[in-house]
Amino acid sequence: MAPLSVLAGGLFAFGQLAREQAVTAMRAAGVSTYRMLAMALPAAGAMMLVHFAAAELIAPRTDARLEAWWQASEPGTPADPAPRAFRSGAEIVVAKAGDSAGRRLNEVSIYRRDAEGRLSERIAASHAIYADGAWRLQQPRMVRFTADDALTSTAAELAWATRLRPADVRFLLSPNQAPSAASARRALEGGGSERPDSYYAVRLQRAFAAPIGVLVMLLLAAPVALGNFRTREGAVLSVGALAGGLTFLVADGLLTALGEGASLSPLLAAWSAPVIFAALAGTVLVRMEG
């Protein structure tokens, strides 16, 4: 919503200045359109900070608390969570959420593969507990597969060497996943993932590219200040800026989806639309400023 709000606010502000001939008076006083645009940059910068903070700092914490509160206050008997499958490094893990803090997993099954991708070992445990910075499997049953046999063993407790952390568990087992830059980076480092690495690589880039959309929208709205609203020029520029902003959002989403599907590199997927549309909007502004 941040880029759209800046586009709408920019169209209203610049259009109102043009209608009242304020832009003409400022240009006569030696204030260029670039300086007027620079005066609007602090507001756009504040919106960029709000955009980044809401997506990367506030939402990951408040969404988890809301989900825990909702589950605790929901009337009736809470349903047994369904098992979820995810990757932790080279291991495939199937487990159920044991608590809202992400420090317990129930009905854990771990599948390990060799260098060629063939199943080499399966570990099944009643539950796993995270304590003192490490996971421990309770009552595990190990089955190691060889070329000719399957060797079975059991133990009362087993240390699980994994980079999975409670924060990763909360994210992976959440019904509403919205990966932040931190969770995407953890997934790429082997912390835990459900999707291809390309998805998390794009999400990591998007965390920093998405706020740039605010500046793109401001650049798209700026030419409206130079329009003549006594003729159709002002209306044409307003409609063109609005269409350009919506096209930017569509193109940005399309390129992001292509990057998540590994059809584009993460850098191109995340940054192509902001760079291209900023260049186009800047070109229009420079030509109109003359």
Side-chain angles (χ1 to χ4, degrees):
M1 297 303 295
L4 281 176
S5 67
V6 171
L7 177 63
L11 289 176
F12 176 80
F14 293 136
Q16 191 68 17
L17 288 173
R19 290 187 189 93
E20 295 174 354
Q21 304 298 318
V23 176
T24 303
M26 285 190 290
R27 289 168 66 104
V31 178
S32 66
T33 307
Y34 308 125
R35 185 177 174 187
M36 183 177 62
L37 185 63
M39 293 177 183
L41 285 179
M47 186 61 71
M48 289 175 63
L49 291 177
V50 170
H51 186 293
F52 183 85
E56 303 300 325
L57 303 177
I58 299 174
R61 292 169 174 79
T62 55
D63 286 350
R65 293 185 180 182
L66 174 62
E67 184 179 336
W69 171 83
W70 186 267
Q71 292 178 354
S73 60
E74 187 177 6
T77 304
D80 186 31
R84 298 284 292 272
F86 56 90
R87 287 183 294 116
S88 179
E91 299 175 341
I92 305 297
V93 183
V94 181
K96 293 182 179 181
D99 59 14
S100 59
R103 292 181 170 270
R104 180 186 174 97
L105 292 171
N106 293 333
E107 301 180 21
V108 183
S109 296
I110 303 171
Y111 300 89
R112 293 174 175 170
R113 299 170 292 175
D114 59 19
E116 297 180 0
R118 297 174 299 189
L119 182 65
S120 62
E121 185 179 13
R122 183 186 66 200
I123 303 175
S126 60
H127 59 281
I129 302 294
Y130 185 83
D132 300 326
W135 286 95
R136 304 200 71 84
L137 301 171
Q138 306 299 315
Q139 302 175 1
R141 182 176 183 270
M142 291 77 70
V143 180
R144 183 177 295 275
F145 300 95
T146 65
D148 303 318
D149 201 358
L151 307 177
T152 303
S153 60
T154 60
E157 189 177 79
L158 179 67
W160 180 17
T162 177
R163 303 191 69 174
L164 192 69
R165 296 294 179 265
D168 303 324
V169 173
R170 290 195 302 268
F171 167 71
L172 289 169
L173 302 184
S174 171
N176 301 311
Q177 294 185 10
S180 62
S183 60
R185 179 179 55 81
R186 288 284 305 145
L188 292 173
E189 293 175 349
S193 59
E194 284 186 312
R195 304 189 185 190
D197 288 346
S198 59
Y199 172 82
Y200 297 102
V202 171
R203 299 312 302 176
L204 182 60
Q205 294 292 332
R206 285 289 301 166
F208 303 98
I212 303 299
V214 171
L215 294 180
V216 175
M217 293 299 193
L218 183 64
L219 284 173
L220 288 171
V224 175
L226 302 176
N228 184 2
F229 279 82
R230 293 181 178 180
T231 64
R232 295 193 308 171
E233 184 184 20
V236 170
L237 287 173
S238 298
V239 173
L242 181 60
L246 297 179
T247 304
F248 163 68
L249 293 179
V250 173
D252 197 27
L254 176 61
L255 291 171
T256 298
L258 290 174
E260 292 173 353
S263 298
L264 284 177
S265 70
L267 283 174
L268 286 177
W271 293 96
S272 291
V275 170
I276 291 173
F277 278 81
L280 292 175
T283 300
V284 172
L285 184 62
V286 168
R287 288 186 176 181
M288 292 191 65
E289 177 67 11

